[in-house]
Amino acid sequence: MSDLPLLKVSALSKFYGSRIGCQNVTFELWPGEVLAIVGESGSGKTTLLNCLATRLAPSAGCVEYRMRDGQFRDLYRLSEAERRFLMRTDWGFVHQNPADGLRMTVSAGANVGERLMAVGDRHYGKIRATATDWLGRVEIAEDRIDDQPRAFSGGMRQRLQIARNLVTNPRLVFMDEPTGGLDVSVQARLLDLLRGLVSDLGLAAIVVTHDLAVARLLSHRMMVMKDGHIVETGLTDRVLDDPQAPYTQLLVSSILQV
Amino acid sequence: MPTPLVVSDVAKSFTMHLRDGIRLPVVANVSFSIKAGECAVLGGPSGAGKSSILKMVYGNYAVDGGQIIIPYRDRLVDVATADPRTMLGIRRDMIGYVSQFLRTVPRVSALDVVAEPLVARGTDRNDARDKAASLLGGLNLPERLWSLPPATFSGGEQQRVNIARGFITDHPILLLDEPTASLDARNREVVVSMIRQKKAAGVAMLGIFHDEDVREAVADRIIDVTAFSVSGEAAA
Amino acid sequence: MTELATYNFAYLDEQTKRMIRRAILKAIAIPGYQVPFASREMPMPYGWGTGGVQVTAAVIGPDDTLKVIDQGADDTTNAVSIRAFFQKTANVAVTTRTAAATIIQTRHRIPEAALQTGQTLVYQVPIPEPLRFLEPRETETRKMHALEEYGLMHVKLYEDIARHGHIATTYAYPVKVEGRYVMDPSPTPKFDNPKMHNSPALQLFGAGREKRIYAIPPYTEVVSLDFEDHPFEIQTFSQPCALCGAKGSYLDEVILDDKGGSMFVCSDTDFCEDRQAKGHRGHLSANPAEAAE
């Protein structure tokens, strides 16, 4: 792990009129670290994620990111061109609904290749070879490369979305309920795949989930949110095995045992 | 070389917010230290707080008060107050932990479960697998199981995977939470000899063993946890 | 043409022409950039060249000579109607000869004869946005142009190669203008793309329904997009024109009978007639009437 964080978040708040989206969130994320943000619907976790990923302008506070040149930049002072470039090269964003993150009417290969073409790759053969390699890494058969994601199952679509995001070797990936809406068996496969990719590639990730099992499996650290506030943070297994905040205790005790 | 593990005045209680905030004290004034090459065993009846002490040392349980000092990267770190990132580093580099139960991950083979802590420390994956194979072989886990995910294994089989995983690294500190609970006599013997090897290698070990034979065989010292116990009424 | 007095010169009022000229000047200043303009209702349906007609009306003067082609031909309905429109409303000279025209309004072709300095080519454009195929949001495509994010254009070409083994886009083939804006050349065959590059003529594009005008000033770099390992190529034809024997011109297939008989002839009728007048002959030109029976 590097001695400098990748992301520095200070006193980040987002208000919707008088309603709190998230308030006074401060934390740092280091390279290779997976942070889970958990909480129930409406707790502000998706608002926070969107504020971090520059998809939603915060009302107050500051998000700084260490660019590839080593310089920290305030994300909300980047030009739009810089911000968009960052989002399609150094960052990934995995949506809960794969249709939000994929181009449903172009082939799987083009979905994976798009980021490469966006950064200037102009050799069809090489783009296709890279796409093939990535489909393999997310366990999509090579002969599906020219099929459109419309013809894919939910789990395959989600894996394709992951490949599309990781092809430019991003350093930070945001995930919004990456396993939501999938069957349990499909979820397990996806989680294992994500876990492997995150550790093999040394990715930093911020995962929003309401599923504590997902948080336990994927993340090193956890933040528990309620009503827009962070109520507890710590090592994932510490938060889950010895929850301190009343709300975290309620959350943990609400898990159904199989 | 500094003492690998010094625990002083540690206290632990649980506050049950869902039960009107009732506070359940577990232990207080926990103080001991373990030298390199020493195996200390926590003694006392169930519910005395043995597991809680182990989990606090590993950072798995929060600490109410006191210090748990571990030398890490030329400084002394207090586990009780260490930030998560430091704690992750300490787990990777300093503390091995054999828990009572294996938390299985879907689709990951037994061999890779065992090899993982080595891989996390930068060992080549194939070398790590070789070492994992020799450990699982030594623990008499049938070779046909190695490539399977341990979720469907019996209790004893899972326990052996867990032991191999805890013993594969050369962490200076090793925490053992009933590693032999569901093993037969032959495999208990294997574990006893593995613990002896770790001792010879200078590893500081803190364990819980209900099995008296194993305890006799490995313990250099018994730490009586009842001495740290707090009665519910006294603390309430 | 006695009805001239009923209309302002070239149909549009002077305020509207000035508005369109301002858009054209801006378009010339930013080659390849789509300039929005307040497209007017014209006395013809959308899709019949309302954009091209407004551009022509704004630039045409009494001394101009107008040529109008549709798919290369001067004698098809669209070309004939628009030519008649400007004869009626502007009383300008018209011609079918490329070399004699000062303004050429076109649908789907660029004349074969090289254009000259002083000539203006006005294209009728149905969909001006080259990124529309993959990105339906106008707000997003504008942003992509502004930030020069053109990776998506190559996604389209990638899809072509993946599906057909080669870039199968044969018309409206995207180009990059002066190293900056990616532009849709209107539904001309890609055969004509090289003619746009460094042309001495001024090229103006009008999209009436979509309310956009864009331009390529004379001598501007126009590069067709491609991949390193799948370079841009134009169509080639295996036979010469059946009427004038031209090789290397763009050919149309003309059905001759109901038994599958057909011939390939130049789509540019002026070019073909000019060659025939100069004595060039194709293999069906001796007695075309007989062949058609």
Side-chain angles (χ1 to χ4, degrees), chain B residues 3-8 31-36 38 40 204 206 221 223:
Chain B
T3 310
L5 177 62
V6 180
V7 177
S8 53
S31 297
F32 61 86
S33 65
I34 302 173
K35 293 194 288 282
E38 183 187 28
L206 179 63
R221 185 156 60 97
I223 299 168

Side-chain angles (χ1 to χ4, degrees), chain A residues 21 43 55 63 65 85 88 167 200 226 231:
Chain A
S43 61
R55 297 161 55 83
V63 186
Y65 181 70
F85 184 75
R88 63 170 191 262
V167 67
D200 289 352
K226 182 176 193 297
V231 296

Side-chain angles (χ1 to χ4, degrees), chain A residues 155-249:
Chain A
M156 279 175 79
R157 287 180 187 183
Q158 197 56 292
R159 296 201 302 275
L160 179 63
Q161 190 189 187
I162 289 161
R164 173 177 159 90
N165 272 285
L166 298 187
V167 67
T168 48
N169 295 314
R171 294 188 299 162
L172 175 59
V173 178
F174 300 95
M175 302 187 208
D176 188 6
E177 303 276 6
T179 60
L182 298 177
D183 291 343
V184 179
S185 61
V186 177
Q187 250 187 45
R189 179 179 186 187
L190 187 76
L191 278 174
D192 172 45
L193 187 85
L194 271 177
R195 196 173 156 274
L197 287 171
V198 164
S199 78
D200 289 352
L201 303 170
L203 288 177
I206 297 180
V207 186
V208 158
T209 179
H210 68 276
D211 187 335
L212 298 181
V214 169
R216 189 188 283 274
L217 207 59
L218 282 183
S219 70
H220 302 113
R221 278 203 294 144
M222 243 171 94
M223 296 201 305
V224 182
M225 285 191 83
K226 182 176 193 297
D227 300 332
H229 294 87
I230 305 285
V231 296
E232 184 162 359
T233 65
L235 281 176
T236 296
D237 61 270
R238 205 281 296 151
V239 173
L240 292 176
D241 294 343
D242 186 16
Q244 305 290 305
Y247 177 69
T248 317
Q249 291 189 356

Side-chain angles (χ1 to χ4, degrees), chain A residues 1-2 30 33 139 188-189 192 195 200 216-217 220-221 235 237-238 241-242 244 246 249-250 253, chain B residues 12 14-18 59-62 84-85 87-88 91-92 103-108 116 125:
Chain A
M1 283 186 195
S2 159
W30 270 265
E33 215 172 34
E139 301 171 16
R189 179 179 186 187
D192 172 45
R195 196 173 156 274
D200 289 352
R216 189 188 283 274
L217 207 59
H220 302 113
R221 278 203 294 144
L235 281 176
D237 61 270
R238 205 281 296 151
D241 294 343
D242 186 16
Q244 305 290 305
Q249 291 189 356
L250 175 67
S253 67
Chain B
K12 174 68 190 168
F14 291 105
T15 305
M16 315 297 274
H17 292 289
L18 304 182
N60 179 227
Y61 273 9
R85 199 167 92 92
M87 205 54 228
L88 287 170
R91 285 184 183 180
R92 188 184 63 234
R103 193 174 280 283
T104 59
V105 177
R107 297 210 310 165
V108 180
E116 193 188 17
R125 191 176 292 275

